[in-house]
Amino acid sequence: MLDLFADESPWQEPLADGAVILRRFSRAQADELLAQIAHVARHSPFRQMVTPGGYTMSVAMTNCGERGWTTNQYGYLYSPDDPLTGQPWPAMPQAFRALSDAASAAAGYPGFSPDACLINRYVPGAKLSLHQDKDEPNLQQPIVSVSLGLPAVFQFGGLKRNDHLQKVMLEHGDVVVWGGASRLFYHGILPLKPGQHAATGEARYNLTFRSTSKSE
Ligand code: SIN
Ligand code: FE2
């Protein structure tokens, strides 16, 4: 099929101090990234985690890398093992690492070396409530977030939960990087609208790369 946007090259949109959207940055690698997501999920399946408060999250999650983000009855933690399988999380695919390296450098954070990648899967209606990414000990390191499949509305606020929220549509291949002054800014995803995407069907995937070690 003729893809009118096939050779659309990436462009950058500033989001906040320290935060930028790299539009379409990962589109050329998207099929490979999706194949690797499927590979990870064959070892560590997607599951809907339960928060310490007893709420089952609508987003299904898995991880790859040396550690993975998970929940238990006491809180949120990075664990070297998948609590579902009792095995280490699958290794981070080379294609993931290469993309994270390129995106962090393009966003002005060269040298970012993530050891964890949370993989989120949204089906229509799934959402991620406003939160801060604050379980990582070294806040000098940014977050790199890759969107694949159906579009979603990303909310990006400030340091306080009730700060003004920007709403931006994230589409297939978009990458958001936030660090520095905006590293602890509140963010979330509004309920996914129904739809079909050529690459993912009725779903959106998101990769977030994180560094969970204390310092570099
Ligand atoms: C996250 O905040 O961990 C994910 C955001 C997204 O799905 O775009
Ligand atoms: Fe987050």
Side-chain angles (χ1 to χ4, degrees):
M1 198 179 72
L2 178 65
D3 184 349
L4 291 174
F5 300 98
D7 55 8
E8 188 181 49
S9 46
W11 69 97
Q12 298 199 4
E13 286 174 20
L15 183 61
D17 192 4
V20 64
I21 306 176
L22 310 174
R23 292 287 186 191
R24 315 298 185 258
F25 192 86
S26 68
R27 195 173 268 199
Q29 292 80 36
D31 289 346
E32 172 64 11
L33 299 173
L34 289 165
Q36 294 298 335
I37 291 172
H39 178 78
V40 168
R42 277 197 289 278
H43 295 269
S44 278
F46 282 99
R47 83 292 308 261
Q48 287 173 265
M49 296 183 186
V50 179
T51 67
Y55 168 81
T56 300
M57 299 179 78
S58 57
V59 180
M61 299 176 168
T62 185
N63 289 274
C64 60
E66 285 162 47
R67 275 180 282 272
W69 186 89
T70 187
T71 63
N72 65 20
Q73 58 184 311
Y74 308 110
Y76 305 108
L77 66 154
Y78 283 100
S79 162
D81 294 327
D82 177 351
L84 195 63
T85 64
Q87 301 292 311
W89 298 102
M92 196 181 299
Q94 183 48 40
F96 282 26
R97 193 169 290 287
L99 173 63
S100 173
D101 285 356
S104 53
Y109 297 98
F112 173 52
S113 59
D115 56 2
C117 177
L118 172 66
I119 308 174
N120 294 322
R121 185 183 67 198
Y122 298 76
V123 293
K127 66 179 169 68
L128 198 58
S129 306
L130 217 52
H131 67 278
Q132 295 169 295
D133 291 356
K134 59 178 184 189
D135 300 320
E136 302 73 32
N138 181 1
L139 297 172
Q140 301 303 114
Q141 298 277 10
I143 300 284
V144 172
S145 167
V146 179
S147 292
L148 297 166
L150 286 179
V153 178
F154 182 59
Q155 297 178 301
F156 199 71
L159 284 173
K160 297 195 293 294
R161 186 176 281 278
N162 58 2
D163 281 343
H164 170 76
L165 295 170
Q166 299 186 61
K167 289 188 178 60
V168 291
M169 187 69 93
L170 295 182
E171 294 183 59
H172 185 58
D174 289 350
V175 178
V176 187
V177 183
W178 64 95
S182 52
R183 175 61 179 76
L184 286 177
F185 278 15
Y186 276 90
H187 58 278
I189 291 285
L190 293 183
L192 194 76
K193 292 231 163 66
Q196 285 289 334
H197 191 279
T200 62
E202 206 177 30
R204 169 179 187 262
Y205 293 89
N206 169 261
L207 310 173
T208 44
F209 294 93
R210 299 112 187 273
S211 169
T212 70
S213 54
K214 286 204 166 48
S215 59
E216 286 300 298

